[in-house]
Amino acid sequence: MTHKKNCFITIWMFLLLVFPGFFHQNGASVSAAAEKIHFAIVFPGGPDTGPEGDKIITQFLDILTRQTKIKRADVAGQYFNDIAPARAYIQKNRNCFIMGSIGFYLANRTTYNLVPLSLVTSEGKRTEQYYLIVKKGSYKSLADLKGKKISGNVLYEDAKFINNMVFENKINVGSYFVMQPTARPLSAVRKMNTGTVDAVLLTGMQYEALKQIPTTFQKIEVVYKSPEMPRLGFMMAETPATRGVKDEILGAMVKMTSLEEGKKVCNNFGISGFENIQPETLNETIAKYTGSN
Amino acid sequence: MRRSRNILAAISVLALVLTACGKSAAPIRVYSGLGPNWYNADLSTLPFADDPGAMAEVALILSQRNAVEGQKYYAFKLAEMAFARSDERRIALAYSRAAYLLAEIEPDEDRMVEIAEKGLAAAEKAGTANKDPEANFYYALNLGLVLKTKGLFALGRLPKLQETLKIAMEKPEQDMGGPLRVLGMLYLSAPEWPQGIGDLEKSLELLEQASTNYPAHPQNHIFYAKALIEDDDPESASAVLQKAEKSAVEEIWGAYYFRQWNEEIKALQRKIQKQ
């Protein structure tokens, strides 16, 4: 894996926003729970953090235990840039809150009894949409891109998610394209403009950010736009222990984004805040993913 | 009487322990009896102790990468004394440089931050606000050390680091391509677009210049190799690492950097083999 710090930052921003508020919650706390609570931060294709990542996790857990009555030994957390070890961690530590994408939720929902908790909101939007872009004039449609090389960090997501949700079952990306995932989407766009790759799959946030680089933006065009879908960011593996502390954590999340400092950090990354949801909100999305709608 | 002496001794020991545990810029080191007694030397007895300019000049001579830790500590204290007596630019620069070189090898994180923060203050005094390229370079080096310890909370200060390094770039030759090397590495390791200032292409461009124009500094090659690996070009990275290996010799850079850089080179070579 290479450095994919953009994703990494979002993860740590999540941590900053979510947990300091949680530390100050009154009433029942994690320390009251009989079992240890775990936090898995899952960013497929994220950076190899090495000691830096360990340090930040330790930093985070230290703050957690220092500012509350929570004992250091009651909480554990780990960051994953690969889905397989993340799944193994959750399998082993079922009392787990997870920061991850809608793709991770859909792919692992039944296995780990995942419950969606919060959407990430950005500039008033609570949905995600993906854009397949090409160099202007090079390809006109999705059909033209068959057998061509596509890049972007979205390609690290679960393949079924990309097929069913991003491309609405129209294609099987694994056989339709030559996939070249990268953690550096801007590099991918530049490579597309020099002809090294044919198309790049961008998130909505990346596409909007590209507009801020007019010299690059004017050279590209969109050949395919995915339907909008909920921008899930936070979920839990449901157990009595996670259920017991869920409301506390969610309350803290929303509260944090209303605080001046939390808001500032969020805005730096184009995120307005978190919006708690009921699990039923995603019923339609689940049906689409499973193909039962 | 004997009992009260014991109590006093216990209090003394306790005080010593507390001092050692507290935050102090002065590293707690014990003189081994061999070589110069860097840590306990009385600087006030030096014949030029009342001449800040001379003290800063000596500090600069002693502030070398290949110097042993004690020498760096001595240089830092000398520069600190000079800086306390004069805010002249060259003295502030000498202090900032000495602070950086000492902080970089300081294993205790709290002490490292404390020393680097002194280096920051000195660089500010030397003229960061006046867009002085040297002051901004030392400011960036010291700031980089501080930010390494801040984790998530460092992110908001990365644009400031970028800004100071851009000013330092007006004098790219300082520290053998230092501004190119450090700014190139910042673009490589900072959060990637669209959230951050990370930019692989900019990184490659700057680090190639550093490696080509200032080949004597091993870190120019090491950082360039890192960027090439990131750019999925292991063959070029391997060639650049060979240059790094040949230039990272103990005779020039001293034991500390010889060991550190060679470990980095070997780790990168292993990474290339895995690719």
Side-chain angles (χ1 to χ4, degrees):
Chain A
M1 290 290 175
T2 52
H3 283 79
K4 291 125 193 178
K5 297 265 172 150
N6 55 332
C7 303
F8 187 47
I9 290 325
T10 311
I11 294 162
W12 299 121
M13 191 190 54
F14 265 65
L15 287 176
L16 179 72
L17 291 172
V18 174
F19 296 104
F22 171 54
F23 304 148
H24 298 292
Q25 291 297 296
N26 294 320
S29 69
V30 173
S31 61
E35 296 170 87
K36 199 177 224 179
I37 295 293
H38 294 265
F39 292 89
I41 298 104
V42 188
F43 233 110
D48 263 341
T49 56
E52 191 188 341
D54 294 342
K55 183 181 181 153
I56 296 176
I57 280 279
T58 303
Q59 216 178 26
F60 152 62
L61 293 177
D62 285 348
I63 295 168
L64 181 92
T65 49
R66 232 185 2 247
Q67 298 191 16
T68 66
K69 292 173 186 172
I70 300 168
K71 289 179 190 162
R72 180 68 174 80
D74 284 347
V75 186
Q78 210 165 314
Y79 159 77
F80 301 93
N81 61 3
D82 203 347
I83 291 177
R87 286 169 57 101
Y89 181 83
I90 299 164
Q91 178 68 39
K92 192 177 166 193
N93 306 292
R94 297 304 281 259
N95 299 326
C96 199
F97 284 86
I98 302 146
M99 290 169 196
S101 67
I102 179 82
F104 183 86
Y105 168 74
L106 291 170
N108 298 285
R109 181 180 58 89
T110 51
T111 315
Y112 303 115
N113 200 20
L114 297 183
V115 175
L117 298 175
S118 304
L119 302 179
V120 176
T121 58
S122 174
E123 289 174 7
K125 279 191 80 174
R126 57 207 286 279
T127 55
E128 182 59 280
Q129 192 168 23
Y130 298 89
Y131 295 78
L132 187 64
I133 61 163
V134 295
K135 185 180 176 182
K136 205 171 258 180
S138 61
Y139 302 98
K140 294 214 177 320
S141 68
L142 195 56
D144 291 344
L145 283 166
K146 189 169 184 183
K148 302 296 178 188
K149 205 181 278 180
I150 73 162
S151 191
N153 62 344
V154 181
L155 303 182
Y156 284 112
E157 285 282 0
D158 173 66
K160 187 176 172 185
F161 168 74
I162 302 175
N163 289 338
N164 293 12
M165 302 299 294
V166 177
F167 288 105
E168 293 191 284
N169 269 319
K170 287 174 184 151
I171 55 170
N172 179 337
V173 287
S175 54
Y176 197 85
F177 300 119
V178 176
M179 305 265 273
Q180 201 170 84
T182 175
R184 296 189 181 265
L186 185 58
S187 288
V189 174
R190 286 173 180 152
K191 282 179 179 167
M192 183 185 78
N193 285 334
T194 58
T196 315
V197 298
D198 299 292
V200 179
L201 188 58
L202 296 178
T203 64
M205 198 187 284
Q206 290 164 355
Y207 180 73
E208 289 303 315
L210 209 53
K211 291 179 184 171
Q212 307 303 313
I213 316 172
T215 49
T216 305
F217 188 74
Q218 64 197 17
K219 290 181 191 159
I220 63 122
E221 62 186 325
V222 177
V223 286
Y224 175 80
K225 209 189 308 185
S226 83
E228 294 193 21
M229 58 194 87
R231 187 183 279 168
L232 188 67
F234 193 49
M235 64 200 87
M236 69 175 188
E238 190 171 35
T239 65
T242 54
R243 210 181 303 129
V245 293
K246 181 193 79 171
D247 289 343
E248 245 184 326
I249 292 174
L250 290 180
M253 276 179 82
V254 173
K255 191 177 158 197
M256 272 310 294
T257 54
S258 66
L259 295 175
E260 191 57 40
E261 203 175 357
K263 203 185 283 180
K264 210 191 285 179
V265 175
C266 265
N267 289 341
N268 278 340
F269 301 102
I271 291 177
S272 315
F274 298 94
E275 186 181 309
N276 298 341
I277 54 166
Q278 292 303 312
E280 305 78 62
T281 316
L282 295 189
N283 283 352
E284 202 181 312
T285 308
I286 293 167
K288 198 167 180 179
Y289 177 77
T290 56
S292 59
N293 60 340
Chain B
M1 185 69 180
R2 186 174 173 175
R3 190 180 163 180
S4 68
R5 265 209 308 268
N6 287 344
I7 292 168
L8 275 175
I11 291 169
S12 305
V13 169
L14 182 65
L16 197 66
V17 170
L18 289 174
T19 309
C21 294
K23 288 181 179 180
S24 164
I28 307 301
R29 299 287 188 270
V30 178
Y31 178 49
S32 66
L34 295 170
N37 188 357
W38 303 109
Y39 299 104
N40 301 310
D42 183 0
L43 303 181
S44 66
T45 62
L46 291 169
F48 52 88
D50 56 354
D51 181 348
M55 281 195 289
E57 207 170 316
V58 175
L60 266 183
I61 291 167
L62 295 174
S63 292
Q64 301 302 324
R65 272 192 189 271
N66 61 3
V68 294
E69 185 196 7
Q71 183 175 320
K72 286 176 181 170
Y73 174 74
Y74 187 88
F76 171 74
K77 296 307 285 182
L78 210 50
E80 187 170 54
M81 210 165 141
F83 185 64
R85 294 172 189 188
S86 165
D87 57 3
E88 218 181 295
R89 176 183 173 271
R90 65 189 177 111
I91 291 169
L93 279 180
Y95 185 36
S96 191
R97 175 181 167 82
Y100 166 70
L101 288 173
L102 181 63
E104 201 190 19
I105 61 166
E106 172 56 57
D108 181 282
E109 195 173 282
D110 288 341
R111 277 205 294 267
M112 185 270 271
V113 168
E114 198 175 345
I115 297 165
E117 278 175 349
K118 289 184 177 186
L120 282 174
E124 272 180 349
K125 191 70 105 179
T128 47
N130 302 331
K131 300 197 182 300
D132 180 324
E134 283 174 277
N136 277 280
F137 181 57
Y138 286 113
Y139 186 91
L141 290 178
N142 283 296
L143 180 60
L145 290 178
V146 173
L147 294 187
K148 264 168 73 176
T149 67
K150 303 291 183 193
L152 175 63
F153 303 98
L155 301 174
R157 294 179 75 184
L158 293 185
K160 170 73 180 169
L161 188 56
Q162 179 191 26
E163 183 195 321
T164 57
L165 283 166
K166 279 183 173 174
I167 297 168
M169 284 281 286
E170 283 166 29
K171 202 175 173 188
E173 68 277 12
Q174 53 182 323
D175 200 16
M176 297 180 179
L180 291 162
R181 177 172 68 244
V182 183
L183 185 56
M185 195 57 196
L186 176 64
Y187 283 134
L188 183 65
S189 55
E192 180 69 10
W193 174 90
Q195 287 93 342
I197 57 169
D199 189 321
L200 180 59
E201 283 74 24
K202 281 185 186 170
S203 169
L204 282 163
E205 188 187 329
L206 294 174
L207 292 172
E208 185 185 15
Q209 281 180 46
S211 175
T212 308
N213 300 343
Y214 305 95
H217 201 302
Q219 238 179 351
N220 291 343
H221 305 305
I222 295 171
F223 287 178
Y224 185 37
K226 281 185 182 178
L228 287 166
I229 292 170
E230 190 74 11
D231 194 38
D232 294 325
D233 188 356
E235 279 180 24
S236 304
S238 195
V240 169
L241 278 179
Q242 281 181 16
K243 291 183 196 169
E245 208 165 16
K246 285 177 184 165
S247 55
V249 294
E250 190 170 0
E251 292 80 0
I252 300 174
W253 300 102
Y256 178 86
Y257 291 105
F258 169 72
R259 192 178 58 248
Q260 182 181 303
W261 290 342
N262 275 283
E263 279 171 13
E264 281 181 48
I265 291 166
K266 284 184 175 61
L268 291 174
Q269 285 167 337
R270 284 194 296 274
K271 199 169 181 179
I272 290 171
Q273 278 169 0
K274 279 186 193 168
Q275 274 188 341

